[in-house]
Amino acid sequence: MSLLVVGLSHRSAPVSVLERAALTVDAQSKLLHDTVAAEPAAEAAVLATCNRIELYADVDKFHAGVAELSTLLARHSGVSLEELTPYLYVHYEDRAVHHLFSVACGLDSMVVGEGQILGQIKDALARAQDLHTAGRLLNDLFQQALRVGKRAHSETGIDRAGQSLVTFGLEQLAGREPVEAWAKGKRALVIGAGSMSSLAAATLARSGVDEIVIANRTLERAERLAQILADGGTGARARAVRMDAVAAELTRADVAVSCTGATGLVLTGADVAAAVSGRTGTPAVTLPGQSGTPAATGDASPACGDDTCLVTPADDTDGAEGPDAGPHIGDAHAYEQHGALVDNSPAVGAAASRTATAVARAQVAAPGRAVALALLDLAMPRDIDAAVHRVEGVRLVDIESLAEASADAPMAADVDAVRTIVSDEVAAFGAAQRAAHITPTVVALRTMAADVVSSEIARLDGRLPELGDKQRAEITQTVRRVVDKLLHAPTVRVKQLASEPGGAGYADALRTLFDLDPETVAAVSRADHLRDAPGVQAALQDQLHQNDDPKRGRA
């Protein structure tokens, strides 16, 4: 049997597909039951969040497993297999282990390093255990993934990566001033209500801005974030507006942060120039070549395609499992939880856009004019037209400039450190699984040897009935020690060899050399799969450890 994962996430599918493919708790339970009922799979677990739907299974056939798991995902998600297939990814054996460990560490999240995914992995394991669809492999896998994720967070600064990007962007806007001094008393506009936008809003509130306006396509989510900010004790006023109010709010704002999943521009150069002009009462200056590309609308696209998501977060993160799992005031992860509920914002409507012709007619303002509007674009693809660099009085910091400025940032080192941890843990997990594969054979060999000893002692009792209890016990102990010493080196060595890549054949060799009964080995394997039963696995491991002790039986 081998580990297989089939799924889709924000990296492979647009938000519109993820939303339609979302699984309710009941649907997840039915999917698990149907998966273990299918011929290729012996175990199953589902990891379902706002940004991913993944089905893990222990299968005996790769191609049949992929076909069956894909079909089951389509059936229970309600999205046709033909439509779902282009967005599915497949990981097998060590690559599947590497994928889950990376997910557990937050490397695969839109906001790198977010820790909420650990709770979701724990819930996925608990659900599979409750439904009795998780066996030895998936229990080991998910429990190890939780340990790897906790290790990554404790040994590195990966959990600060998302927050660091927001802080670093604000530091770039503040220039030589401390962020707190720069932000004090300012009015801020945050476009989007996802995880990164929520982090930006929280950071601005803590930095001392006077007012924060949240704009989002779904007003309820903007209102929820505004309520969290208002109850946060920072003193900042917070309110929510619809997306069609962005143009008016931009004329009042001193700083604006945008992070949505829109496929096109949310703010064009013309929008920004018009906002600056409306705020100051003086037409904004723009150099020739100003872009006036209108904002695009439509379904959100994946924010990033690989682990460089370190510098490409978008308006979402792995969050709560469903729309009812809202944030709680005062919760340390409230902003991340809120971000899990995001409905990716579309671009600003036509009413908010301005044409390049209007901007081209703007008159030149006085040189040396102070920054009237600071813009931070944390989206990928970009939300704000790079051409706003040409607008007098506007300062723009975006992902591209942050990537250049943060090439040697600590968060890059943290990600590299976590990748190293993941690689080491994948190798260790593989070695442990390969070693465990030979355990039933070793136990069967020890059982056979014990039966031989018992048989010979019984034969001795028949031939020498006059032996006293003390002599019989000493002879029995001596024979057992001889057998243990003869088997110790081969069994220890075969377990070491089996833990190496390609070591699975040593179990077959051991069975052949000692003519072990296949049914005995299978019986041990079945007992091993019942490891959750009280004392079964502990007794097996205790027997192995005792038999492998070269000093066993000595005073």
Side-chain angles (χ1 to χ4, degrees):
M1 304 297 282
S2 300
L3 179 65
L4 174 68
V5 56
V6 178
L8 67 160
S9 72
H10 63 93
R11 293 184 181 276
S12 67
V15 172
S16 58
V17 174
L18 286 172
E19 288 177 340
R20 292 171 52 210
L23 297 173
T24 64
V25 174
D26 288 341
Q28 293 177 43
S29 299
K30 293 177 182 177
L31 173 58
L32 288 174
H33 282 306
D34 287 353
T35 301
V36 294
E39 182 178 348
E43 305 177 31
V46 174
L47 178 58
T49 74
C50 289
N51 280 335
R52 70 182 66 251
I53 304 167
E54 296 176 344
L55 178 56
Y56 291 78
D58 186 10
V59 300
D60 57 0
K61 299 175 183 177
F62 172 74
H63 293 290
V66 172
E68 186 66 31
L69 266 58
S70 301
T71 300
L72 289 170
L73 274 176
R75 180 187 308 163
H76 289 276
S77 68
V79 180
S80 68
L81 182 60
E82 293 75 15
E83 184 177 359
L84 197 63
T85 298
Y87 305 113
L88 293 177
Y89 48 76
V90 175
H91 298 295
Y92 190 56
E93 295 188 329
D94 283 352
R95 290 183 63 87
V97 176
H98 189 281
H99 174 73
L100 181 59
F101 287 4
S102 297
V103 169
C105 294
L107 290 178
D108 198 61
S109 299
M110 277 190 172
V111 178
V112 172
E114 58 94 13
Q116 193 176 357
I117 187 64
L118 285 174
Q120 293 161 339
I121 292 175
K122 183 178 180 180
D123 292 342
L125 175 59
R127 184 175 298 108
Q129 289 173 334
D130 290 343
L131 296 173
H132 305 291
T133 63
R136 182 186 61 80
L137 176 60
L138 292 185
N139 270 293
D140 287 350
L141 175 69
F142 276 68
Q143 289 171 1
Q144 185 65 18
L146 291 172
R147 288 190 287 269
V148 173
K150 292 175 182 177
R151 180 187 170 193
H153 285 280
S154 65
E155 295 183 12
T156 73
I158 189 66
D159 55 340
R160 298 190 302 269
Q163 180 66 50
S164 295
L165 189 62
V166 172
T167 303
F168 187 55
L170 293 177
E171 287 174 350
Q172 298 301 302
L173 287 178
R176 297 180 180 179
E177 280 189 277
V179 172
E180 290 75 11
W182 169 80
K184 186 175 179 58
K186 281 184 166 57
R187 290 170 295 188
L189 170 64
V190 177
I191 305 175
S195 58
M196 191 58 72
S197 298
S198 301
L199 285 171
T203 304
L204 286 166
R206 288 192 299 266
S207 298
V209 296
D210 184 61
E211 180 186 43
I212 301 177
V213 178
I214 309 297
N216 194 54
R217 183 181 68 182
T218 305
L219 182 61
E220 291 77 8
R221 287 168 179 162
E223 290 174 337
R224 186 181 297 115
L225 177 55
Q227 183 64 45
I228 293 174
L229 294 169
D231 294 343
T234 61
R237 292 178 288 111
R239 56 188 176 89
V241 299
R242 298 187 184 278
M243 286 296 290
D244 56 12
V246 166
E249 294 296 338
L250 200 60
T251 64
R252 303 177 62 252
D254 301 300
V255 56
V257 179
S258 185
C259 187
T260 75
T263 57
L265 297 176
V266 171
L267 294 176
T268 67
D271 297 329
V272 174
V276 172
S277 177
R279 173 186 173 89
T280 63
T282 303
V285 174
T286 183
L287 299 177
Q290 171 68 52
S291 171
T293 307
T297 59
D299 295 331
S301 61
C304 48
D306 52 37
D307 284 342
T308 54
C309 198
L310 164 69
V311 292
T312 57
D315 193 33
D316 209 310
T317 187
D318 281 307
E321 293 181 11
D324 295 330
H328 303 285
I329 304 302
D331 188 341
H333 296 291
Y335 300 105
E336 290 88 338
Q337 290 173 337
H338 170 80
L341 308 176
V342 70
D343 198 7
N344 283 308
S345 170
V348 176
S353 66
R354 301 293 185 269
T355 64
T357 304
V359 177
R361 290 198 294 263
Q363 298 178 2
V364 177
R369 177 178 168 187
V371 174
L373 179 60
L375 301 173
L376 178 58
D377 186 356
L378 296 174
M380 181 61 72
R382 69 175 71 246
D383 277 350
I384 303 175
D385 191 349
V388 303
H389 282 297
R390 301 190 180 99
V391 179
E392 180 75 13
V394 174
R395 177 181 296 162
L396 170 66
V397 171
D398 55 18
I399 288 295
E400 185 177 1
S401 59
L402 285 176
E404 294 173 357
S406 64
D408 299 321
M411 57 185 176
D414 290 329
V415 169
D416 289 340
V418 171
R419 287 174 177 163
T420 299
I421 290 174
V422 169
S423 296
D424 292 345
E425 292 286 354
V426 169
F429 182 82
Q433 290 298 306
R434 288 188 292 270
H437 178 72
I438 204 169
T439 296
T441 302
V442 173
V443 172
L445 175 60
R446 293 287 188 181
T447 301
M448 184 191 74
D451 290 342
V452 170
V453 170
S454 297
S455 176
E456 290 301 317
I457 294 300
R459 181 173 175 271
L460 182 65
D461 286 342
R463 298 185 63 177
L464 298 175
E466 68 276 8
L467 281 176
D469 292 342
K470 184 176 181 180
Q471 289 85 1
R472 184 183 296 105
E474 185 62 31
I475 292 172
T476 301
Q477 186 69 2
T478 299
V479 175
R480 286 175 174 169
R481 280 201 300 266
V482 170
V483 172
D484 286 345
K485 288 182 178 180
L486 288 174
L487 291 182
H488 173 73
T491 53
V492 170
R493 182 59 179 152
V494 78
K495 285 191 287 186
Q496 292 173 342
L497 293 172
S499 67
E500 300 173 358
Y506 288 102
D508 295 332
L510 203 62
R511 287 192 294 269
T512 301
L513 288 172
F514 288 91
D515 194 24
L516 297 176
D517 183 4
E519 181 56 32
T520 302
V521 177
V524 176
S525 298
R526 287 193 292 271
D528 190 44
H529 279 282
L530 294 176
R531 63 188 305 162
D532 290 334
V536 172
Q537 188 65 14
L540 289 173
Q541 294 300 326
D542 183 63
Q543 179 182 353
L544 279 176
H545 292 158
Q546 288 183 4
N547 289 338
D548 284 345
D549 185 357
K551 297 182 180 180
R552 180 177 179 270
R554 296 183 182 179

